[in-house]
Each structure stands twice: as structure tokens, then as C-alpha cells.
Amino acid sequence: MRFRAKIVDLACLNHFSRVINTIAKLAKTCTLRLTVSKLYFILSDKVANGGVSMWCELCQGNFFDEFQMEGVAAEHNEIYLELVPDNLSRALRTAQSAKAVKIKLTNKHCPCLRVAVELPSLSSSSRIVTHDIPVGIIPRRLWNDFREPSVPDFDVSIYLPVLKTMKSIVERMKNLSNSIVIEANLSGEMNLKIETDLVSITTHFKDLGNPAWASEDGCQSSAQNRDLESMAEARIDIKKLQQLLAGQQVNPTKALCNIVSKRIVHFILLHEDVSLQYYIPALA
Amino acid sequence: MKCIVTGGNVKVLGRAVHSLSRIGDELYLEPTESGLSLRAVNSSRSAFASFLFAPLFFQLYEPGGRQPDRELVRCKVLMKSFLGVFRSLPSLEKTVGKCLILLKPRANRLVVQLHCKYGVTKTHNLAFQECELLQAVFDTQRCASTLCAPARLLAEAVVHFPQTLAEVTLGAGPGGKISLRNYVEDEAVPSKTMVTELRLADDEFQTVAVTPGSRITFCLKEFRGLLTFAEASNLPLTIHYDTPGKPVVFTLEDTVLEVHLVLATLLDPESDLQPPTANGVSHVPTPSDDFADDLESYMIAMETSAYEDGPSGVPPSPTFPLRTPRPAESDPEEEEEEGAVPGTPPHKKFRSLFFGSVLTPGGPGPAPTQEVLAEDSDGEN
Amino acid sequence: MPLSAQPASSAEPYVLAASLDNARHLSSLLRAVHFQDHATCFATANGLRVTVEDAKCIQANAFIQAEIFQEYTVQEESVTFRINLSVLLDCLTIFGTSSLPGTSTALRMCYRGYGYPLMLLLEEGGVVTVCKINTQEPDELLDFDFCSTKVVNKIILQSEGLREAFAELDMTSEVLQITMSPDKPYFRLSTFGNAGSAHLDYPRDSDLMEAFHCNQTQTNRYKISLLKPSTKALALSCKVSIRTDAQGFLSLQYMIRNEDGQICFVEYYCCPDEDITEAEL
């Protein structure tokens, strides 16, 4: 098992840092899956996490100048690691002006992801900072636990409004309530609602647009025969939603959510080659 | 004592107080003929700092004040209250033109008066306690290794470590590389802790005269405090150190200012200079296990050895013969500790930052080794 | 959608209806008196007054004159209700506390009367938020009976000169002592904390001093914990008028200029803490 990669381009490095910061905000520990062409950060659906799960996928070619990996076997050319994303985020935090960042899998005292940062200095030689981030190697028999969740059979799929506006609204609502109802229809309308003994608040968004999903196998059938005006709704933990909105640093070019009535809200944030999916289950 | 600080020096004084506030809860003021000294020591006596402002730093400097006998009065005040006067550094710079410090022993008041913009004056009357000399004895000449670098280099180096990190290890590696690395406690699970190491080429330093392979571990918090001061003052920082367990001394010098920060270093069980350890616990490398008692009671024992009566020769190591103020002696807890000194080994193992080892019960008495905090009253020779 | 759903005709059943182009003009003033969860709102044809009290010793009033609003109607002589101020502030700032330049949150506020919720309609960039905040029976308010004819000493200061002083108040002191005098020290703020005492002296010829009308030497003490919340008003204001009456009651009037240059006022009244038995120097 081998892995080594290198980033030289500053823009790529900053973009990569923002992705990692986002992951660090959303998950205490996560799984890093490495394949020849892609990196995945995965938080699998555990009750302890409130049932939230995350799937973040990036193409290595858009970030790394060098990327070599060799999995456990030729027919299973993948590596699965468990790590604390905040460690990686911290290592990259002081690397913003780096000349180069190398990441490699090592096994000295324990398996580590070594991040070596070459920083400019006042002298002829560079300053080198290395961070040994402990990782756990996930054996192949457990790989099945980390498969990509399928897009749920949603009732409504809708583009999200400007995330900054949504973040501000959800932050105020969080001061007042523990749960939030998110509802949307196929006419581009979405409402955020809270209701308590003291206050009820509803924010109405319109003209958001509904993405067209290709129904290859008819699995998105729930949305197809739906009345365009009727709302699909789910009540979710407001803290989880706030975490996503406050934590995301990818500044997505497209953001959307899929609502399965009373079951789950599935968020998708897309930024060029990065996709982040986040699943928040509905409260009873 | 009466002194007046004006202009930009008010902010320098303020920054010094901020730096000292990282060390201890009390600020010691000692007016001397060679200047006003501000000092602090932490509660475990593992960190000591002194800022000596030369008379030229002041617009007016009268160490003896207007007392007829011109007896110099040393005093200490609560750090919090002194810091309160200089709390906001930006507003010090913006609004304060002049600062007057006046020690009034008769009124039992230390008066700090700030003359601000628009004719506004702020007068702080602080309670103080008279105290004896707070002095750490160290001789940077006897330190085997010396490093000198612009403060900015070191400030840029420590940003790679989290604010919560307690200790950092400084080492002289092969090829003249100077390294800094986060210290991971023995108890920490290696598979859980991220290890960060920074390597700097020797040509980034102004002076590198270090023992190859040497390394020391010290507390980062106090060091950061000094770095902030040094960086703002744009002064080079010199680091003097010796073997693990002996204090490291950081110095800053200017024509009107002399700063010393003395920090305990951990005994390093992995170091070649130390004997191997048993059960992962490092013991003091002496034939007789002399570090018998609790560090604090040991400290109290040392108080009896007066600084002036100490060895005439150069002290064997950076040490802290501390003479704590009399009022403190009435502290019942300390009295208890003092009573416990002769031959009463504490039950618990005491891990001191200063000694960097677990001290096991044994015989009492000061150790003849170097790892002492307080000076051995018998001297070494 | 909801905005247009409410016809702005005179036939609407609201005893109070008001609209404001920029909700921040209201929220920032309310934040200046937000030191307790609950507030009493009192609306007359002149405008809206929001009152917050604590410990039967301090009262803060934010005044928003009718002219500040683009539309303002009160159907009765006065309309009074009690409301949770924290909730009201969260609603008013639902689109964020610092809006981007060029954008502002428009507000329409209506109240049908006793037992009904306060309705807020907020709109920014085409997004509409509807809030219904429950109201309660109004509290009996303190009457400080502080009238300008009974004022003994009065000073008007530029707020800048007090801001740092209030920010750095020694909170280990139980009281803030205010001395106003025709003679030295003219105007003095003192604290007596764990670490010792501190005095802040403002000469009467200071450039900070806009007006100085002191007729007799007065030294009064006020609970520092009660005065500390006024720092919020101080931070927003450009000038502050400090007045005391013969009984030592204190009035702090803060003049606040909003982004559009309109002037509003926030006033704090505070009871003196105790008589001073011995003069502290």
C-alpha cells in the first residue's frame, strides 16, 4: 500500500484547504478513500452522529500535481483510511504561502499521513514543516460500509437560495427553536418554518427552480406525477442544518436539496469538480 | 519611587505588562539605581521573567522617591489590577500621552496615572505589598548552547502549533538544522496525536552556537508572550540553553531595556545525556535519590538560604533562590508545607515541569545535581 | 406574496401599523436597551417607546419617533403591550445584522390589539419572512418623575470620551461613583474594586465637553452592574447628556444618529445606590 501526492499550485492548495476545512467542520472523524483518480471523504450514517451522513468527492487531477497510489491489491486498487479531518485542516492552515505541500502515507510508529509543507524563508533554504497525522487503515472486509448512498427517491428536488442568506435565517431561527421544517414544491418555492410558544416564523423563497433529474430507470417516480404546488416537507434538527451552512467553505456554484417527505433532506453542493452531499434525517 | 513614561514608551511598558501577565498572578516592581525592574514568577516556580527598564527609558526616574533615607522599596501588586491599567494597547497608543508611576509607601498605595487626550486623567490607586527580592540566578555564559534570531522568525515558527499546545521541544539536528516540535506526553496515545515538526536552516539565525544533538522541552505559553513583545519591539531574541532539566533563558536587549525569561525544561528520558529510565519514569540521575520531596516544600526550604549568602562562585545552573514576601509566610497552606519539609516525604508522586520527572518519595534535602530550581545553598565547589 | 396579501388600506383592523425601509434603524436602537428579555412597547401618535427595566432601579427607554417610519398609524390614543425583546431582535435581524451596502431589510409591523401577536413582515432581495410574536399583558412601569426643571447638574459629553471608560470599568467595584461639581474635579467617575480605586477626571474645558452646567457639588453612587448595560447605547451614540436631580437620580440620554442621518434617543434612568457617609478620595 503506497500513497504520495504533491500540490504546488497555490490556488489548488487554497481550494483543497477550503474543502478540508468544510469536512473538518462537518465531521469529527471521517473516512478518506483514495482511488487512482479520486479522493472521497465519507461520514457514514451512525446513530451517534444524529444519523447524519456525508459524501464528498473530488478529482485528484484538479488539485494535485503528482498523485501516486497503490492499493492493497491490483484488483482492489483503493485505500481506506480513518482520520480526524481537523488535523489535516490544521496542517494546511499555516500552509497558505507554501511553495509545495507533499502528502504521503507512512508507517513509522503508527500509520500516519505525513503532510510536509515547504515554506519560503529569508535564507536560501526553505523552512520545512511536517505534520504526522495518525490514521487508521480500514481493512477490506469493512469497505462495504462506505459505499456511496444512492440519491433517495425524493418528492421534491429544488435549488437552494443564496447560502449566505439561508445561513443567516437559520442562525436566527436556531436561537429560537431546536427543529426547523423545510418544505418545497415543484414550482420553485421553498419555505423555512419554526414554531414555538413564543413565536412562529416562516421565510418564503420563490423562483428557485427545480433541477431536472434524468429518470433512467424511473426511480425518481415520486416527483413525476406530483402536483406542482403541493409542498413536500420534513422537520429536521436545526443544528445540523446550521452546521452545514456555517461550515461549508466550498462556495458552491450549484446547491440543491432533495426532500423525501417526513424522512430525509439530501443536500448537494457542487463546485466545479467537488461535490458534497449531506443527508439529514427527519425528526419523528 | 517616582517615574514618568511618555510617548511610545507607554505602549512598550504596556506590552511588557501583557507579556508578564502570561507568567504569574503577581507583578513585582523593584526600583533600582540601574532602572525599574518588573518581574513575575508562576505559581509552580517553573517560569520567571524580568523586564529592566533603564533610567533613560523614562522622562523622569527617581528610584528612591522623595523619602529622606532614599531607601528603595520593593513591592508587588496583583497582576490583574496592574494589567487593568494597560488593558487596551491600541487605546494606550491612541489616547495616552504620559504615564506617571508613584510608589507611596506611607499611603500604602501604588499610584499609576495616565494622562490622556482631551485633558482626561485616569488615576489608579493600587494596593501593594512590600516584598523582598524576587530573583532567579542564572548565568547565560555557562549555557552550552546559544541561538539568536529575529523575533519574527520564531513568531512565524510557533504559529504552526495550536494555541492549546502546552510544551514544545527545541532541538539542534544534523546539518545545523534547528527544529521545533510539539511535545507529546508519555501518557498520550501516539496513534491519536498529530506530531508537528518545523525545521529551520541555521542561516536564518543570527547566531547558532549549539551542541549538536541537543534538545530541550519548555512551555510554549510564556514563550509566546515574550515573542509578542519581542516582535512588536522588533528586537532579536537570544536563547541560551544547556542540558534537559536545566532552565532555558530567553533574552532581549536594547539600550534602555533588558528582558529575561527563564523557563524550566523537561528532563528528557530519551536524551543521551540522561540515563535510561525504568518503567517509563525518569528518575533523577544521582546515586542517592535526592529529589525526595514535593517541589513546593523544597522551594520553601530554599527560602532560608538567602541570596546574599549563596555561593560566591558562579552558580552551577540557572536557579531561582526565591525570597518570597513576608506576608505570604502567614499563608496557612504554605506553613503546612514548610512544616512538612524535614524528612516528611509526600505520599504522592509529584511531576514538576521544572524537573520533568516523577519524583518519588525518598530522603529530603536539596539535590546536588543541576536540575534544581532554587540554588543549592552549599554551592557545588 | 405575504406582503401583498395584506391590503394597506385604512380599513385594516390594526391598532398599530408601521413600516420602515430599513429594519436596522429599529433593531440597532432596540439592541441599545436589550439587557433583559422582556420589554414594554408603548405607541402613541408621536412614535414608539420601548422600555426595559431591571431590579426596580434602572429603566431604559428607546424612542423611535413617528417620522422615522415611512408609514405610522395608531388607531387608539396609546397602544401598550409586553414582548420578548430577544425574540423581537432575532426576528428583526433575520436576514443578518450587517446587510450588504445597497441592500436593506424592509419591515412592516402590525398589531391588532390586546391578546393578538405582533406581526412582522420582513423582506430583503425578494425573500419574505413572516413572524408572529406573542404579546403579553404590559408591566407596571417605574415612574422616575425625572423632569428637567429639577435637574441640579448637567453635562453633555461627546460619547467618544466615555466609551473607553465604560468598556474598562473595574467590574470588581460594586458601584460607579459620579461626582459633578462647579469646582475641581468638575466631572469624575470613580470605582472601588478589589485592586484599589480608580478615578477618571474630565476637566470642564476639555474638548469632549459640549456643555457644562453644574450648580452644586454632588457625589452619588450607582450599582455598576445596573449601569454596565448602558455601554450598548454609548457605543451607538455620538453624544451623551448626564443629568442628576436633587435626590441623586441619574439620567443618561444618548443621542444616536442612524445610517440615514436621522436622530433618535435612548435614555437610561438609575436610582442612586446609597448615601455616601464618608468622602472617598
Side-chain angles (χ1 to χ4, degrees):
Chain A
M1 210 164 19
R2 276 167 207 274
F3 169 64
R4 61 190 304 150
K6 187 174 173 182
I7 304 183
V8 178
D9 185 82
L10 264 186
C12 290
L13 177 60
N14 288 330
H15 188 186
F16 187 63
S17 299
R18 279 200 299 274
V19 174
I20 301 301
N21 291 343
T22 303
I23 305 297
K25 287 267 167 49
L26 297 178
K28 265 207 162 72
T29 63
C30 73
T31 300
L32 169 59
R33 174 183 165 205
L34 300 164
T35 68
V36 173
S37 59
K38 286 187 167 179
L39 292 88
Y40 303 83
F41 292 91
I42 306 160
L43 178 68
S44 67
D45 195 5
K46 283 189 191 120
V47 181
N49 290 321
V52 164
S53 50
M54 175 190 78
W55 180 271
C56 179
E57 190 176 321
L58 22 152
C59 291
Q60 59 90 355
N62 290 312
F63 294 93
F64 294 91
D65 297 86
E66 285 172 30
F67 193 91
Q68 299 164 10
M69 66 89 49
E70 235 173 75
V72 276
E75 68 275 25
H76 301 285
N77 197 15
E78 301 194 5
I79 300 174
Y80 281 74
L81 304 171
E82 190 182 17
L83 81 146
V84 175
D86 189 51
N87 281 336
L88 193 51
S89 159
R90 262 173 44 205
L92 295 172
R93 203 167 298 158
T94 55
Q96 276 138 2
S97 58
K99 293 203 254 177
V101 174
K102 290 183 196 165
I103 303 176
K104 112 181 159 183
L105 191 61
T106 62
N107 191 4
K108 262 196 189 161
H109 306 292
C110 62
C112 276
L113 211 53
R114 165 168 287 198
V115 179
V117 183
E118 188 185 343
L119 291 162
S121 76
L122 302 169
S123 77
S124 50
S125 49
S126 301
R127 295 176 192 166
I128 308 288
V129 188
T130 58
H131 305 271
D132 285 331
I133 301 168
V135 293
I137 307 283
I138 297 171
R140 217 170 73 200
R141 62 188 156 81
L142 298 178
W143 287 7
N144 272 343
D145 296 353
F146 303 102
R147 270 199 285 202
E148 180 172 8
S150 56
V151 173
D153 183 11
F154 51 78
D155 294 298
V156 168
S157 177
I158 191 164
Y159 286 114
L160 291 175
V162 179
L163 290 188
K164 198 168 162 279
T165 305
M166 192 168 161
K167 174 180 154 223
S168 160
I169 293 163
V170 171
E171 256 160 24
R172 301 290 167 244
M173 288 182 169
K174 188 185 67 118
N175 292 344
L176 303 166
S177 173
N178 295 323
S179 66
I180 184 170
V181 173
I182 178 163
E183 60 177 19
N185 63 18
L186 293 171
S187 306
E189 293 174 338
M190 184 176 95
N191 300 329
L192 299 176
K193 301 201 288 197
I194 62 160
E195 190 154 1
T196 72
D197 294 345
L198 291 172
V199 63
S200 73
I201 305 180
T202 307
T203 295
H204 305 269
F205 298 93
K206 55 183 183 190
D207 306 327
L208 295 175
N210 300 88
W213 286 83
S215 58
E216 306 136 20
D217 48 3
C219 81
Q220 266 93 46
S221 56
S222 302
Q224 278 185 340
N225 305 317
R226 206 179 158 82
D227 167 21
L228 296 183
E229 298 293 322
S230 93
M231 292 279 178
E233 63 158 63
R235 176 186 297 277
I236 55 172
D237 184 341
I238 199 163
K239 275 195 227 81
K240 302 290 174 202
L241 177 58
Q242 190 263 340
Q243 237 171 39
L244 173 68
L245 295 168
Q248 75 81 18
Q249 291 182 26
V250 288
N251 303 321
T253 43
K254 256 185 199 160
L256 54 106
C257 85
N258 299 323
I259 301 174
V260 185
S261 270
K262 300 189 164 52
R263 274 196 47 224
I264 201 162
V265 185
H266 171 213
F267 293 90
I268 305 174
L269 308 186
L270 296 169
H271 179 100
E272 295 165 19
D273 43 299
V274 182
S275 79
L276 174 71
Q277 299 182 65
Y278 198 68
Y279 299 80
I280 307 177
L283 299 170
Chain B
M1 189 263 292
K2 177 181 180 181
C3 56
I4 294 172
V5 186
T6 55
N9 281 2
V10 179
K11 200 178 173 193
V12 175
L13 180 66
R15 281 201 299 255
V17 177
H18 277 258
S19 179
L20 283 159
S21 72
R22 300 269 194 127
I23 311 278
D25 297 334
E26 287 169 329
L27 178 72
Y28 291 75
L29 288 104
E30 192 191 349
T32 69
E33 292 299 336
S34 57
L36 175 66
S37 172
L38 302 184
R39 299 171 193 197
V41 66
N42 69 352
S43 58
S44 62
R45 304 291 200 234
S46 60
F48 165 88
S50 89
F51 284 71
L52 177 67
F53 296 97
L56 271 178
F57 177 84
F58 303 92
Q59 191 192 55
L60 173 90
Y61 181 69
E62 291 172 359
R66 257 182 265 139
Q67 288 170 280
D69 51 359
R70 287 186 58 84
E71 192 198 324
L72 302 179
V73 177
R74 297 185 195 101
C75 73
K76 62 172 182 178
V77 294
L78 278 179
M79 184 66 80
K80 242 197 239 159
S81 49
F82 206 83
L83 184 64
V85 181
F86 300 99
R87 185 166 298 140
S88 162
L89 292 175
S91 81
L92 271 189
E93 187 170 40
K94 262 205 319 236
T95 64
V96 181
K98 187 166 105 176
C99 168
L100 164 80
I101 302 174
L102 199 60
L103 191 61
K104 289 177 162 171
R106 286 220 182 127
N108 224 12
R109 283 281 175 269
L110 177 72
V111 180
V112 185
Q113 195 169 61
L114 302 179
H115 293 259
C116 311
K117 238 172 31 177
Y118 305 118
V120 176
T121 53
K122 283 186 206 174
T123 312
H124 296 261
N125 300 303
L126 309 179
F128 73 84
Q129 289 182 314
E130 268 190 52
C131 63
E132 292 190 39
L133 185 64
L134 176 76
Q135 178 65 52
V137 178
F138 48 86
D139 182 3
T140 53
Q141 302 289 314
R142 297 280 295 247
C143 286
S145 298
T146 302
L147 278 171
C148 179
R152 195 161 157 226
L153 173 71
L154 296 163
E156 285 175 0
V158 297
V159 297
H160 298 284
F161 301 100
Q163 284 294 332
T164 49
L165 178 66
E167 293 117 10
V168 72
T169 302
L170 171 75
K177 290 265 187 195
I178 302 300
S179 71
L180 273 176
R181 166 189 188 129
N182 56 325
Y183 177 74
V184 180
E185 303 219 26
D186 296 343
E187 306 93 73
V189 186
S191 63
K192 287 266 166 68
T193 314
M194 175 161 89
V195 176
T196 297
E197 183 169 345
L198 169 77
R199 270 164 291 153
L200 300 165
D202 55 358
D203 57 355
E204 289 216 67
F205 290 80
Q206 289 164 346
T207 315
V208 176
V210 292
T211 311
S214 59
R215 61 177 188 192
I216 49 158
T217 300
F218 53 87
C219 278
L220 194 51
K221 180 183 120 188
E222 291 84 358
F223 180 51
R224 280 194 212 263
L226 182 69
L227 273 180
T228 309
F229 180 87
E231 210 188 356
S233 314
N234 207 13
L235 290 172
L237 184 100
T238 308
I239 307 173
H240 308 269
Y241 69 93
D242 210 284
T243 51
K246 288 196 198 177
V248 54
V249 184
F250 302 90
T251 58
L252 299 174
E253 259 172 65
D254 185 357
T255 46
V256 293
L257 175 67
E258 214 176 279
V259 184
H260 289 94
L261 170 68
V262 187
L263 296 181
T265 65
L266 286 184
L267 268 183
D268 187 348
E270 287 169 50
S271 165
D272 298 337
L273 298 162
Q274 302 298 327
T277 59
N279 309 325
V281 170
S282 60
H283 292 279
V284 177
T286 49
S288 60
D289 199 353
D290 280 312
F291 281 112
D293 54 14
D294 187 284
L295 175 69
E296 271 180 50
S297 47
Y298 179 65
M299 283 309 309
I300 304 296
M302 280 304 97
E303 278 171 33
T304 54
S305 65
Y307 172 37
E308 291 82 3
D309 300 340
S312 49
V314 179
S317 74
T319 53
F320 290 50
L322 292 166
R323 306 179 80 200
T324 51
R326 285 196 187 99
E329 282 174 14
S330 58
D331 185 337
E333 254 188 71
E334 284 206 34
E335 256 172 21
E336 212 178 284
E337 293 280 0
E338 191 169 25
V341 173
T344 316
H347 319 293
K348 60 179 193 295
K349 287 183 174 184
F350 184 84
R351 186 181 175 283
S352 132
L353 266 184
F354 225 101
F355 296 89
S357 62
V358 176
L359 301 175
T360 48
T369 44
Q370 314 288 299
E371 296 75 24
V372 289
L373 164 61
E375 184 177 0
D376 181 354
S377 54
D378 296 318
E380 205 173 36
N381 11 3
Chain C
M1 172 187 68
L3 272 186
S4 54
Q6 313 285 340
S9 72
S10 56
E12 59 186 23
Y14 300 115
V15 294
L16 168 68
S19 52
L20 191 56
D21 285 349
N22 187 348
R24 288 223 293 170
H25 293 168
L26 180 58
S27 60
S28 66
L29 275 181
L30 295 186
R31 214 174 290 118
V33 297
H34 182 214
F35 58 89
Q36 285 287 306
D37 264 350
H38 286 93
T40 303
C41 299
F42 181 77
T44 65
N46 292 328
L48 184 67
R49 189 187 77 201
V50 179
T51 304
V52 180
E53 292 184 343
D54 189 20
K56 297 274 175 216
C57 275
I58 187 145
Q59 183 184 77
N61 295 292
F63 300 96
I64 307 100
Q65 310 91 289
E67 301 79 64
I68 301 288
F69 297 95
Q70 275 66 51
E71 182 214 330
Y72 184 88
T73 53
V74 182
Q75 303 293 347
E76 294 163 11
E77 197 178 319
S78 71
V79 175
T80 315
F81 56 89
R82 182 175 183 260
I83 198 163
N84 186 311
L85 186 56
S86 310
V87 172
L88 177 58
L89 276 169
D90 274 325
C91 290
L92 288 172
T93 57
I94 191 122
F95 292 110
T97 42
S98 57
S99 58
L100 296 165
T103 64
S104 58
T105 306
L107 165 72
R108 182 169 165 78
M109 183 166 76
C110 347
Y111 177 61
R112 289 175 81 114
Y114 184 81
Y116 284 93
L118 178 72
M119 300 270 295
L120 301 182
L121 299 161
L122 296 128
E123 188 269 336
E124 186 175 314
V127 184
V128 174
T129 298
V130 183
C131 310
K132 289 180 195 158
I133 310 171
N134 289 344
T135 58
Q136 294 111 33
E137 184 96 23
D139 283 333
E140 183 99 19
L141 295 176
L142 300 171
D143 181 7
F144 277 81
D145 190 28
F146 192 100
C147 67
S148 47
T149 52
K150 288 195 271 179
V151 166
V152 176
N153 290 317
K154 172 178 169 180
I155 286 171
I156 299 176
L157 267 180
Q158 286 179 21
S159 300
E160 185 197 342
L162 272 187
R163 244 169 251 161
E164 198 195 326
F166 266 73
E168 293 184 3
L169 278 182
D170 178 359
M171 294 305 287
T172 66
S173 174
E174 213 169 283
V175 296
L176 175 68
Q177 179 176 294
I178 300 179
T179 304
M180 292 164 99
S181 166
D183 308 303
K184 252 187 149 179
Y186 306 113
F187 179 55
R188 165 175 277 196
L189 301 176
S190 308
T191 53
F192 308 91
N194 294 343
S197 63
H199 304 289
L200 201 56
D201 294 337
Y202 296 79
R204 71 178 292 178
D205 60 356
S206 168
D207 288 344
L208 293 170
M209 206 69 87
E210 299 251 323
F212 186 90
H213 305 290
C214 291
N215 303 311
Q216 65 180 71
T217 302
Q218 256 188 322
T219 300
N220 294 299
R221 292 180 167 194
Y222 306 92
K223 281 237 178 341
I224 207 161
S225 55
L226 293 177
L227 282 185
K228 185 73 178 175
S230 68
T231 311
K232 290 182 176 180
L234 190 62
L236 289 170
S237 66
C238 47
K239 288 178 195 178
V240 53
S241 158
I242 303 157
R243 299 179 300 164
T244 50
D245 69 10
Q247 280 76 48
F249 283 90
L250 176 70
S251 148
L252 298 168
Q253 274 180 339
Y254 299 92
M255 192 171 117
I256 295 170
R257 197 187 297 273
N258 69 21
E259 290 156 3
D260 294 350
Q262 297 161 314
I263 303 279
C264 293
F265 288 93
V266 166
E267 183 162 40
Y268 275 75
Y269 291 115
C270 190
C271 303
D273 188 45
E274 56 182 15
D275 292 333
I276 300 172
T277 46
E278 53 185 316
E280 296 251 6
L281 293 171

